Amino acid sequence: MTLPIHIPAGAPGIRVMDEARKGGMKYELLVDAKGGPSDDLCQGIFYLAAGHAEELHHHDVVETMYILDGSGEALLSDQSVPLNPGDTLFIPAGQPHGFTAHSDMKMLFTFPVPRFADVVYHMDQAA
């Protein structure tokens, strides 16, 4: 049985994403097996700066995104969806998606894997 743990604010800190070809993308891990038990759950905060975009990509696992702050849009295959605080996205495994920020965005993400390093980003061609 996994015991509960407390993860202090600011631990382990914000990192620039390796996939950031256009800049303006950072993330902060909240729950990750690298920092303690996670029971196959990885959660963090994704920061996307105004005017920046995360290119169309997909993962082999599902993802949820909850918009904490800012506004923008999600590209889900060929459909553009406006995003505002309080919105939630459920993104099935294999579903191409990307994001564009109209203002600085802060999004809570969750993956059903023990470590963020276990999530493979497959970069897709724009539709």
Side-chain angles (χ1 to χ4, degrees):
M1 177 176 152
T2 302
L3 297 175
I5 61 170
H6 169 251
I7 301 165
I14 298 174
R15 304 172 190 174
V16 174
M17 292 189 71
D18 293 336
E19 294 82 6
R21 296 179 187 172
K22 298 178 183 174
M25 296 191 313
K26 299 176 183 177
Y27 69 96
E28 176 180 13
L29 294 176
L30 303 175
V31 177
D32 186 89
K34 185 175 179 180
S38 73
D39 274 357
D40 293 334
L41 179 77
C42 171
Q43 188 175 61
I45 298 176
F46 175 52
Y47 301 89
L48 187 58
H52 290 270
E54 182 180 30
E55 296 179 20
L56 201 62
H57 65 283
H58 71 274
H59 317 285
D60 298 329
V61 295
V62 301
E63 177 181 18
T64 63
M65 297 288 285
Y66 176 79
I67 313 310
L68 296 166
D69 196 24
S71 65
E73 59 188 79
L75 183 61
L76 305 173
S77 291
D78 59 354
Q79 178 186 8
S80 179
V81 177
L83 297 175
N84 293 290
D87 290 348
T88 300
L89 291 173
F90 173 81
I91 304 166
Q95 172 70 50
H97 61 284
F99 302 96
T100 300
H102 301 308
S103 64
D104 288 351
M105 293 184 71
K106 186 175 174 181
M107 301 177 272
L108 180 72
F109 65 82
T110 305
F111 290 105
V113 296
R115 293 173 181 79
F116 183 66
D118 297 335
V119 179
V120 177
Y121 280 69
H122 303 282
M123 303 313 285
D124 297 337
Q125 298 297 319

